[in-house]
Amino acid sequence: MNAFQLYFRLIQISLLSRMQYRADFIAGILGLLFWNVINIGLIGILVTQFTSLKDWTLWEVVFLYSLWILGYSVYGLFFSHTEALENYLIEGSFDQFLLRPASPLIQLLGREFQFNEIANVLIGLTGISLAYTRLDLHWDGWRWGFFIAAVVSGGMIVLAINLLVACTGFWTGRSRGTAFIVNQFYGLVHQYPVDIFGNAFRVIVTGLIPVAFMNYYPALVLLDKVNYASRGWVLSYMSPLVALLLVGIVSVVWRLGLNRYSSSGS
Amino acid sequence: MKLFWAFTRQAFYNTAVFRFEFWLRLISVYLLMYTIYWVWTTLYTQTPEAFGLSLQQMVTYGILGMALEIFLDVGPEWYVATQVRTGAIDTDLMKPLDFHVHMLARSAGEMMFSLGILALPSFVIGYFLFDLRLPEDLTTGLLFGISLVFSFFVFFHIGFLLGVLSVITLDIRSIAWAYYSMVSFFSGQIVPLWLFPDFLRKISEWLPFQAVYYIPMSIYIKRVIGSTALQAVGIQVFWAIVLALFARWAWTRVHTRLTVQGG
C-alpha cells in the first residue's frame, strides 16, 4: 500500500466512525453554514451602507471571503487533524504513530476527515460564482488556472502554518497558545481586505504569518486590481511559490521534530 | 448568601490558575481592537456623514465592544455542557445550593475575576493605543455601570439556557458556532444596530441580544440619552426577568429527565 492509498483508507475509517453521530454531524454542517452567512452579513452591511470599504466593493469583499474559505476547506477537509498533535505529544500517545510501519504524518492526518467543512466548500463556491457574475468577470484559461492554483496553495499554506505551529510542541510541549494567536490573524485576513489596515499588519500577514497569500494577493490578480506601479506588485503572483516554500520548510521541521521527540508517557 | 460568596470566590481562584491564558487573551484583544479601529477609521474617512456621530464616538463604540466581551462572556454553557458530557454534573447536583444559583454565583465570580484582571489592561490598551474615550459625564458613567449589570445578567441566562439545552442534546459543540455568530450579530457588538437595514433592525429589536452589548455601549457613547437611555435600561430589566424565569422553568423541566453518563 502506498502513502496515498493508506491515507484514504484511514480517512474512510474515520468517516465511518463519524457517521455514528448523525444528528451532531448535520447540526455541525448547519452551524457552519449559519456562521458563514452571519459573517458575510456583518461585513455586507458595512460595505453596502458605505458603498465600499476603501476601494473594495461588496462583491469584491465576498470574493475575498470565498477565496479564503475555499482554500481553508482544502485544509479543513483533509488535514485538520494537525491541530490535535499537541494532545498526542502531551499524553505521550504519539508513540502509537511511531510503532506502526507507515509514515507518522500520514497516520496523523488520516485520523480525521472533517466532513463539516463541506459547508465551507458550499459557501465558497456559491460566493465565488455570485461574485463572478455580479462583478461581470471574464477569466481566460490562464486566470482559471491561477484561481485553482490559488485555492490549492491556500490549503497548503494553512496546512504548513498550522503544522509548523503544532511542531513547536516537539520542543516546547505546548502549541495551543501560538495556534490561538495565528487563528486570530486568519480571521482578520479572511474577512477584511489587508490594505485597510496599517503597514505593520501588512508586513506581518505577508512575511511572518503569510495568510495574505490565501486570498488578498491572488484576488488582486483575479479581480484585476494589481497596481503595477507599486513596488510589491510581484507579490500578487507569488501564492503558489509561497505555498511550496512553506511546505518545504515544514517538512524539514517535522523531521527535526520527530528526531527530537522523546515520549512523555510512562 | 454566604454560600453564594463561597462559590463565587472558588470560581475566582480557579480562573487565577491560567496565567498563560492571560497574555493570550490580551494579545487577542489588542488584535481585535486594532481591526475594529481600522475598519471604522477607513469607513469614516470615506463617508463621514453616513454615521451621524463623530469618529471618536464610533471608534469608542467599536473598541468598547471588544473590551466588554472579555469579561461579559463567561460562557456558563461550556461548564454545564462539559459536566453533562463527562457525567460530572451529579457532583453539582449534590451541592447544597440550587444549581441555577450555583451557576450564577460561579459565573459572577469568573466575571469579576476577568473584570479585575483582564478588563483593566484592555481598557488601558484601548485608551492609550486606540482612542477609547471615557464616558463624558458622571451620569453617563453611572447609567453605563447599571446597564452593564443587567448585560451580565441577560448574557448569563442566555448561556445558561444553552447549557440546559445540552442536557437534551448531550453536546453543544456543533451549535456553538451558530450561537456565537448570532450573538455577535444581533447584539450589535461589532456593527451597531442603527447601521442595520430596517428589517434586520426590527428583528434585533425583538431579540434579547441587544440587551447584552448594544444598550450599554450606546449609553456609553451617548447615542441614547435621557429618558431614551432609561427606557433602554428598562428593556434590559425586562429581558433579565423574562430570561431568568424561563431559565428556571427550563431547568426544572430538564432536571427530571437528566441522564448521567459515565460513572
Side-chain angles (χ1 to χ4, degrees), chain A residues 24 49 52 54 188 196 201, chain B residues 34-35 38 46-47 174 195:
Chain A
D24 186 62
Q49 287 286 350
S52 71
K54 217 154 183 181
L188 294 188
I196 68 165
F201 185 82
Chain B
Y34 180 90
T35 322
W38 279 99
Q46 218 172 268
T47 27
S174 299
L195 290 177

Side-chain angles (χ1 to χ4, degrees), chain A residues 128-168:
Chain A
I128 294 276
S129 0
L130 282 177
Y132 190 88
T133 42
R134 290 303 172 101
L135 293 170
D136 205 20
L137 298 173
H138 300 281
W139 291 342
D140 45 15
W142 183 86
R143 288 266 155 94
W144 278 109
F146 187 73
F147 167 68
I148 291 165
V151 171
V152 176
S153 308
M156 291 305 115
I157 289 171
V158 190
L159 170 63
I161 296 176
N162 282 3
L163 192 53
L164 267 176
V165 170
C167 275
T168 58

Side-chain angles (χ1 to χ4, degrees), chain B residues 20 56 64 66 93 103 120 132 135 169 209 247:
Chain B
F20 182 57
Q56 223 151 52
L64 196 62
M66 301 301 142
L93 298 178
M103 283 309 298
L120 191 67
L132 170 77
T169 60
F209 304 114

Side-chain angles (χ1 to χ4, degrees), chain A:
Chain A
M1 225 193 263
N2 69 29
F4 269 102
Q5 278 171 319
L6 176 66
Y7 173 75
F8 282 106
R9 183 83 191 112
L10 288 169
I11 289 286
Q12 216 178 340
I13 296 168
S14 79
L15 194 58
L16 281 175
S17 70
R18 251 324 272 270
M19 287 303 281
Q20 299 302 311
Y21 305 91
R22 203 154 300 171
D24 186 62
F25 175 76
I26 292 165
I29 292 187
L30 291 180
L32 207 52
L33 276 177
F34 191 75
W35 180 77
N36 275 302
V37 169
I38 293 248
N39 261 337
I40 299 179
L42 266 181
I43 182 111
I45 288 175
L46 286 184
V47 181
T48 36
Q49 287 286 350
F50 302 99
T51 60
S52 71
L53 188 55
K54 217 154 183 181
D55 44 7
W56 295 77
T57 62
L58 171 65
W59 291 104
E60 288 174 338
V61 173
V62 170
F63 185 88
L64 264 185
Y65 188 98
S66 311
L67 187 60
W68 193 94
I69 206 101
L70 274 184
Y72 187 83
S73 62
V74 171
Y75 162 80
L77 277 172
F78 300 108
F79 307 123
S80 55
H81 208 60
T82 321
E83 287 151 60
L85 180 63
E86 183 190 38
N87 291 337
Y88 291 111
L89 293 177
I90 292 172
E91 289 170 9
S93 53
F94 189 71
D95 296 9
Q96 59 176 300
F97 298 124
L98 300 171
L99 294 172
R100 302 195 193 107
S103 150
L105 185 60
I106 297 279
Q107 291 181 59
L108 175 75
L109 296 179
R111 265 301 164 87
E112 192 178 27
F113 180 75
Q114 268 288 1
F115 213 87
N116 292 355
E117 288 287 330
I118 290 289
N120 283 340
V121 177
L122 284 178
I123 289 282
L125 289 178
T126 318
I128 294 276
S129 0
L130 282 177
Y132 190 88
T133 42
R134 290 303 172 101
L135 293 170
D136 205 20
L137 298 173
H138 300 281
W139 291 342
D140 45 15
W142 183 86
R143 288 266 155 94
W144 278 109
F146 187 73
F147 167 68
I148 291 165
V151 171
V152 176
S153 308
M156 291 305 115
I157 289 171
V158 190
L159 170 63
I161 296 176
N162 282 3
L163 192 53
L164 267 176
V165 170
C167 275
T168 58
F170 282 119
W171 285 270
T172 59
R174 294 243 164 228
S175 54
R176 199 159 42 99
T178 327
F180 179 77
I181 299 295
V182 169
N183 275 325
Q184 300 269 336
F185 279 97
Y186 285 168
L188 294 188
V189 174
H190 180 191
Q191 301 187 32
Y192 303 100
V194 170
D195 51 25
I196 68 165
F197 299 110
N199 261 334
F201 185 82
R202 192 200 282 246
V203 169
I204 292 175
V205 295
T206 304
L208 197 62
I209 314 170
V211 265
F213 288 101
M214 287 177 67
N215 60 349
Y216 175 73
Y217 287 120
L220 290 178
V221 175
L222 294 168
L223 299 176
D224 261 325
K225 290 172 93 77
V226 183
N227 175 11
Y228 289 97
S230 77
R231 257 178 305 154
W233 68 268
V234 73
L235 288 172
S236 325
Y237 291 90
M238 296 256 277
S239 295
L241 271 178
V242 171
L244 279 177
L245 183 70
L246 281 174
V247 169
I249 293 175
V250 78
S251 56
V252 173
V253 173
W254 170 258
R255 226 153 279 165
L256 289 175
L258 277 188
N259 287 335
R260 155 90 205 206
Y261 176 72
S262 58
S263 181
S264 68
S266 47

